[in-house]
Amino acid sequence: MAEIAVADGSWTFNGEFLRIVPGSDKGVHELRRTLGEIVVPLEAIASMAFEPSRKGGHVRMRLRKGADPLSDAVAGLLGPPADPYRLSVPKSRAGAAEYFADEVRDTLLVYQTPTAACDDYLLAGPSVPVSATAGDGTALFDGERVRLEWTGFASTEKEKAGPQEFPLADVAGVEWKPQSGMGYGTLRFRVKGEGPAQPPQKDLHCVSWGIQRFGGTTALVAAAVLARLPREAELPPPPPPVSDDVHDAVLRRLGELGELHRSGVLTDEEFAAAKQAMIRRLQET
């Protein structure tokens, strides 16, 4: 048996399964704490490596496509703090981490574990009911129905439409992506028979977040829904970007910053720093 235990969590491998337990430290990402313990069968693992850095490094496991609904839902876009398949290791434990990665990698070679895509999920994914709040809404999934409820950050269109609810049978696919640059982070459900894609802030089947909120545990809702869709329901390609003049986008974000400052979400210092960054972006364009 091989084991590596650090503040970020512990990984234990017995030759058949790799058990992941997140650390109890407050710095451990909310998504990993909510997801809890994960048991990964050997046949779900595509590769294992220790990637050293100046301060230590991290052990990184990659799963086979189609083996894990969470990995498929985030498509490699889940950041390091939230990624349950990445373990941060201090310099003092780098040797043990390298040994652990070698043990798993050698076992994969001995058993010649396939790396091709899986026909069926080998991990069950997040349990239900599951919910997450980020930005303009809360997504709830009980295993049979998806419900979206809007927060105070929702657009006028979403507020007027009210909460949205639809059965799993009507879901054609689910798409998750993190907030990046000027774009919104989104948890978007593709519903059968819906019209052309709308901007995230207007899409009634989409929870979106920007500078005011991080994505929290929204990826877990995406994974829970994806795990229960028929396997022939593929993740749809991202919709073409909605044309939006950069100048207008920056001005809109400046307005959001002002609202967040007035509501007390941003301190004076945070507001000033964010405002200056937006103004610089406006000047550059």
Side-chain angles (χ1 to χ4, degrees):
M1 178 178 290
E3 182 177 12
I4 177 73
V6 294
D8 198 37
S10 65
W11 288 18
T12 306
F13 179 63
N14 67 1
E16 296 182 27
F17 297 93
L18 193 154
R19 186 179 303 274
I20 298 174
V21 179
S24 57
D25 188 86
K26 292 183 179 179
V28 174
H29 195 280
E30 177 188 7
L31 184 149
R32 291 172 55 207
R33 288 189 278 108
T34 302
L35 184 59
E37 182 178 301
I38 308 171
V39 177
V40 183
L42 178 67
E43 58 267 30
I45 303 174
S47 65
M48 176 71 70
F50 172 65
E51 301 175 353
S53 67
R54 183 173 60 85
K55 294 184 178 181
H58 55 266
V59 182
R60 183 189 295 275
M61 175 170 58
R62 299 188 187 281
L63 302 183
R64 295 168 59 190
K65 182 174 176 58
D68 173 39
L70 177 59
S71 297
D72 284 0
V74 301
L77 298 177
L78 200 60
D83 187 352
Y85 305 121
R86 179 186 184 277
L87 182 70
S88 296
V89 178
K91 193 171 185 178
S92 62
R93 300 288 289 158
E98 188 168 9
Y99 170 78
F100 180 90
D102 287 344
E103 283 288 301
V104 178
R105 189 164 52 245
D106 289 346
T107 304
L108 291 171
L109 289 173
V110 168
Y111 287 96
Q112 298 184 341
T113 304
T115 57
C118 298
D119 294 329
D120 297 298
Y121 286 126
L122 302 178
L123 283 80
S127 59
V128 294
V130 61
S131 65
T133 300
D136 66 5
T138 297
L140 307 96
F141 177 56
D142 63 5
E144 297 181 357
R145 302 186 70 82
V146 176
R147 181 176 173 84
L148 304 181
E149 300 175 351
W150 311 121
T151 70
F153 292 104
S155 64
T156 302
E157 289 87 349
K158 289 183 176 180
E159 287 183 348
K160 288 182 177 179
Q164 302 293 300
E165 187 170 301
F166 39 91
L168 180 64
D170 287 351
V171 179
V174 58
E175 170 195 322
W176 182 91
K177 66 178 182 179
Q179 191 275 338
S180 177
M182 297 293 290
Y184 285 90
T186 54
L187 168 59
R188 189 191 301 265
F189 300 94
R190 297 298 182 190
V191 177
K192 297 174 183 177
E194 69 180 353
Q198 297 293 314
Q201 64 272 29
K202 295 182 180 180
D203 191 336
L204 299 182
H205 299 146
C206 175
V207 171
S208 65
W209 56 94
I211 57 174
Q212 73 271 33
R213 288 289 186 273
F214 75 120
T217 60
T218 51
L220 298 185
V221 179
V225 173
L226 185 62
R228 291 159 178 82
L229 289 178
R231 285 305 296 262
E232 62 268 19
E234 297 291 337
L235 283 172
V242 179
S243 60
D244 188 12
D245 184 82
V246 175
H247 181 273
D248 291 341
V250 174
L251 291 179
R252 184 173 63 252
R253 290 301 175 89
L254 283 172
E256 292 180 356
L257 285 172
E259 293 179 6
L260 293 172
H261 182 235
R262 286 190 293 273
S263 64
V265 175
L266 295 178
T267 65
D268 292 343
E269 293 76 12
E270 291 171 335
F271 173 64
K275 182 179 178 181
Q276 286 301 316
M278 291 294 102
I279 291 175
R280 283 195 299 271
R281 176 66 65 88
L282 185 59
Q283 291 172 337
E284 291 171 359
T285 58

